[in-house]
Amino acid sequence: MATPTADQTNVIEVDVRTDEMLVNMGPQHPSTHGVLRLVLRADGEIVREVTAHIGYLHRCAEKIGENLAPYQYIPYTDRMDYLAAMNMNLGYALAVEKLCQMKIPERAQIIRVIMAELGRIASHLVGMGAYGLDLGTFSPFLYAFREREKILDLFEETCGARLTCSYVTIGGVTHDFPPGWVERCKQFLDYFEPKIEEYHTLLTRNAIFIRRTAGLGVLPPDMAIAYGCTGPVLRGSGVRHDLRKVQPYCGYETYDFEIACPPFDDAPDEAVIGDAWHRFYVRMVEIKESVKILRQALARYEQNPEGSHRSPEWKPTMKLPAGEAYLETECPRGQMGFLVVGMDAPIPWRVRARSSSFCNLSVVSELCKGCLIADVPAIVGSLDIVMGEIDR
Amino acid sequence: MSPQEIAQLLKDQFGDRITGEALDVLDPWIAVAPEALHEVMEFLRNDERLAMDFLHCVSGVDYFEPDPKKAKRAKFEPHMEVLYHLSSMKHGHRIVIKVFLPRWKNDRPGELPEVPSVADIWPTANWHEREVYDLMGIRFVGHPDLRRILCPEDWVGHPLRKDYEFPDEYHGIRAR
């Protein structure tokens, strides 16, 4: 082929030397959801390789767990996924209860389900709002926070805290609901349910939003499983797997709800199963399913279920029997697992936290290969990570 | 498949390289000799009857009592364990694979014990093994990129070991 000359207008670049460039993103970057550092090897605008550097928020949570009795460790689990503290508390409490083979009263189980689902809604609302921010739209964030505030108010009434609740604890929950709480929660649900449609008009069916997310960062189901992805990231790839159905805890098997999983009838034509749009939409459908579970759980609570809000078996000086117990729960961001090793002492020998965001983030280098630099925040945002949980 | 059947299948396949089992505990586990780990894991992942395609977690546990008074009463010999929590999406069964390791390779303090990496079987093991290496001090042989992941690169020691001594300072920052 003849060498092109400068007067050939159809050739844009004549003998321009291009080099790959390292672009550093984070750890302080508004769209990395905390202190995540990504090093991009970019060829022009195209990302060739992404290396994630984590650990900026490491607080030795596992080491602390070896020095505290389980009920003292609950506040530390709040600070793992600080957007879904209730679900974190529940995961650790269930793992300890599995080790001690403690029986939980019916009443406490129902309260736990209510709290876990409210936590899921609150967390998905932040996920939705923050994803809008990543893609450059500000208003959905404000709408999401308006509703989330009401959930946090409900949390505050039960335990006095809004974010770091420590409400679900070993043996049950710390307090029963205050008078009138169930009524207020129902009022919230009646107020909240029609709002979901508003989010769809604001974000889900927004033409710009679809252009930015559909077909982007496609995660095939076998890769999602191989990388240990769970939660909406796994379900967004079309794998029908939800621990609340597969391996129920807290009596989830008695509630009527669906697993949010594609294919969706109302997906836009451009969207492919496993892309950023589907991961986002799974969360939106899950909000709806959570409302369904909440209505059933509140109705059960009103029938005054048996037992108290906390198991009488629980004592602060309770010894953990020798043995190991590993238990995963379906948290908003995926399956959070706790391994508790007991040694006939009130303090566990070892606490291990398997973080869902940790595994979900590890797939980012595969997802970002060959995408544009501007799409990196859209892909990372669709994984909905929380750094507190990754670094523990 | 029940844990009993999985254990029997592995024993038939690998004989005395399966070094132990406990099937009536909360999470049934099967112990594998470290040198056979990669082979056993490949079998677990690829055999049609098992199809353990999901690796939940890789965790290290250090069994060591630093207090000499308590050590006499301890119910274990000093050693380390690596736990692999596996399950199958297809069949829905689960099992824990354990590897028992000495605390130090050849009992020479400072030399990290070694275990084959399974990062080529489950990509998720890549980060998990880096974490266990970082916090627990277990070297995964054959890992593509065994760097520290949570602690800074120039950190000294492995914090989750029971005999870990906290540093007095780190780059002029008081640490205790």
Side-chain angles (χ1 to χ4, degrees), chain A residues 51-56 58 60 62-63 66 98-101 223-230 234 239 241 243 247 323-328 335 339 341 343-344 348-355 357-359 361-362 364 390-392, chain B residues 25-27 29 45 53-66 75-76 81 83 85 87 89 92 94 96 98 121-125 127-128 130-132 135-136 145 147 149-151 153 158-164 166:
Chain A
T51 317
H53 293 269
I54 61 174
Y56 293 94
H58 181 50
C60 324
E62 294 180 8
K63 189 80 178 173
E66 293 174 6
K98 180 178 173 185
L99 182 64
C100 303
Q101 299 189 333
M223 191 197 275
I225 292 171
Y227 272 90
C229 296
T230 47
L234 179 67
V239 182
H241 185 86
L243 272 190
Q247 217 191 349
E324 293 153 1
Y326 180 77
L327 192 114
E328 286 189 352
Q335 295 172 15
L339 170 76
V341 181
M343 197 63 89
D344 269 331
W349 182 257
R350 171 89 165 92
V351 175
R352 167 92 169 102
R354 181 256 191 223
S355 151
S357 294
F358 184 83
C359 300
L361 181 66
S362 67
V364 79
I390 293 173
D391 295 340
R392 283 154 290 153
Chain B
V25 292
L26 291 168
D27 293 310
W29 54 265
R45 167 79 179 77
D53 49 3
F54 203 91
L55 175 65
H56 290 264
C57 188
V58 181
S59 4
V61 186
D62 184 9
Y63 286 92
F64 177 73
E65 181 52 71
K75 292 175 194 118
F76 50 79
E81 286 175 15
L83 279 73
H85 289 86
S87 80
M89 282 272 178
R94 49 183 57 231
V96 184
K98 263 193 194 187
I121 305 174
W122 295 279
T124 182
W127 279 27
H128 276 291
R130 275 175 70 187
E131 190 187 334
V132 175
L135 301 180
M136 212 40 128
D145 182 24
R147 290 179 288 129
I149 189 165
L150 292 178
C151 294
E153 272 167 38
H158 302 280
L160 280 179
R161 283 185 170 244
K162 292 280 179 183
D163 54 355
Y164 175 73
F166 286 90

Side-chain angles (χ1 to χ4, degrees), chain A residues 6 66 68 79 101 118 138 140-141 157 159 170 232 257:
Chain A
E66 293 174 6
L68 292 176
R79 281 133 182 101
Q101 299 189 333
L118 278 176
F138 191 70
F141 181 75
E157 277 186 62
C159 60
I170 319 296
F257 68 102

Side-chain angles (χ1 to χ4, degrees), chain A residues 242 244-245 252-253 255-259 289-290 292-293 296:
Chain A
D242 188 320
R244 291 174 294 171
K245 288 270 190 204
Y252 267 113
E253 66 275 17
Y255 294 91
D256 171 37
F257 68 102
E258 301 290 325
I259 301 177
E289 295 301 320
S290 291
K292 230 161 98 183
I293 299 173
Q296 295 169 46

Side-chain angles (χ1 to χ4, degrees), chain A residues 73-354:
Chain A
Y73 187 59
I74 290 285
Y76 290 89
T77 61
D78 283 336
R79 281 133 182 101
M80 288 181 183
D81 184 349
Y82 38 75
L83 294 177
M86 290 284 187
N87 305 65
M88 294 288 119
N89 299 162
L90 180 61
Y92 185 62
L94 283 172
V96 172
E97 286 154 14
K98 180 178 173 185
L99 182 64
C100 303
Q101 299 189 333
M102 202 187 278
K103 243 184 102 49
I104 305 304
E106 179 68 25
R107 193 184 192 85
Q109 301 267 34
I110 294 172
I111 298 178
R112 281 177 166 192
V113 168
I114 294 172
M115 282 308 166
E117 294 311 315
L118 278 176
R120 194 182 313 276
I121 295 177
S123 165
H124 283 342
L125 283 176
V126 179
M128 178 203 83
Y131 195 35
L133 283 185
D134 287 348
L135 300 176
T137 167
F138 191 70
S139 36
F141 181 75
L142 298 174
Y143 285 83
F145 266 58
R146 182 184 65 187
E147 268 75 77
R148 180 169 172 265
E149 277 307 290
K150 296 196 190 298
I151 297 179
L152 298 188
D153 287 343
L154 287 172
F155 284 174
E156 195 178 6
E157 277 186 62
T158 56
C159 60
R162 296 164 70 80
L163 280 175
T164 50
C165 308
S166 305
Y167 178 58
V168 180
T169 185
I170 319 296
V173 294
T174 54
H175 309 75
D176 206 340
F177 288 145
W181 190 91
V182 176
E183 212 39 59
R184 285 192 285 280
C185 189
K186 276 183 164 172
Q187 278 168 9
F188 164 73
L189 290 181
D190 292 337
Y191 159 83
F192 175 68
E193 215 169 356
K195 303 278 180 213
I196 300 172
E197 192 48 37
E198 267 182 31
Y199 310 142
H200 288 318
T201 52
L202 269 171
L203 211 51
T204 317
R205 290 196 279 276
N206 180 319
I208 303 170
F209 179 77
I210 292 172
R211 290 275 295 267
R212 287 293 311 266
T213 57
L216 181 71
V218 179
L219 178 65
D222 51 338
M223 191 197 275
I225 292 171
Y227 272 90
C229 296
T230 47
V233 177
L234 179 67
R235 288 192 285 278
S237 296
V239 182
R240 198 169 284 274
H241 185 86
D242 188 320
L243 272 190
R244 291 174 294 171
K245 288 270 190 204
V246 177
Q247 217 191 349
Y249 51 91
C250 287
Y252 267 113
E253 66 275 17
T254 57
Y255 294 91
D256 171 37
F257 68 102
E258 301 290 325
I259 301 177
C261 183
F264 297 116
D265 296 334
D266 44 357
D269 298 337
E270 304 94 312
V272 190
I273 290 180
D275 64 357
W277 188 89
H278 272 93
R279 285 194 281 278
F280 165 83
Y281 195 63
V282 163
R283 294 192 187 95
M284 302 304 291
V285 177
E286 269 184 32
I287 291 182
K288 229 171 187 169
E289 295 301 320
S290 291
V291 172
K292 230 161 98 183
I293 299 173
L294 274 169
R295 286 202 191 278
Q296 295 169 46
L298 288 171
R300 279 186 208 186
Y301 182 83
E302 279 187 320
Q303 285 160 5
N304 210 4
E306 273 175 55
S308 82
H309 61 280
R310 196 165 191 181
S311 165
E313 291 172 53
W314 177 82
K315 288 178 190 66
T317 52
M318 182 183 66
K319 277 188 179 177
L320 297 175
E324 293 153 1
Y326 180 77
L327 192 114
E328 286 189 352
T329 51
E330 187 72 39
C331 288
R333 282 174 185 74
Q335 295 172 15
M336 180 79 188
F338 282 97
L339 170 76
V340 183
V341 181
M343 197 63 89
D344 269 331
I347 293 170
W349 182 257
R350 171 89 165 92
V351 175
R352 167 92 169 102
R354 181 256 191 223

Side-chain angles (χ1 to χ4, degrees), chain B residues 51-169:
Chain B
M52 295 284 190
D53 49 3
F54 203 91
L55 175 65
H56 290 264
C57 188
V58 181
S59 4
V61 186
D62 184 9
Y63 286 92
F64 177 73
E65 181 52 71
D67 186 344
K69 276 183 200 160
K70 286 185 193 162
K72 281 178 197 157
R73 278 179 283 135
K75 292 175 194 118
F76 50 79
E77 290 291 303
H79 70 282
M80 287 196 134
E81 286 175 15
V82 185
L83 279 73
Y84 300 83
H85 289 86
L86 298 171
S87 80
S88 166
M89 282 272 178
K90 194 171 151 200
H91 302 300
H93 54 226
R94 49 183 57 231
I95 196 76
V96 184
I97 299 294
K98 263 193 194 187
V99 180
F100 291 87
L101 297 170
R103 292 197 75 245
W104 302 108
K105 190 185 172 191
N106 304 327
D107 286 326
R108 268 187 233 134
E111 282 193 30
L112 300 182
E114 287 179 353
V115 65
S117 166
V118 295
D120 54 332
I121 305 174
W122 295 279
T124 182
N126 187 321
W127 279 27
H128 276 291
E129 286 177 351
R130 275 175 70 187
E131 190 187 334
V132 175
Y133 161 73
D134 183 0
L135 301 180
M136 212 40 128
I138 293 169
R139 192 173 294 284
F140 290 88
V141 181
H143 189 285
D145 182 24
L146 198 64
R147 290 179 288 129
R148 285 183 181 271
I149 189 165
L150 292 178
C151 294
E153 272 167 38
D154 56 351
W155 196 259
V156 181
H158 302 280
L160 280 179
R161 283 185 170 244
K162 292 280 179 183
D163 54 355
Y164 175 73
E165 299 249 337
F166 286 90
D168 288 333
E169 66 163 30

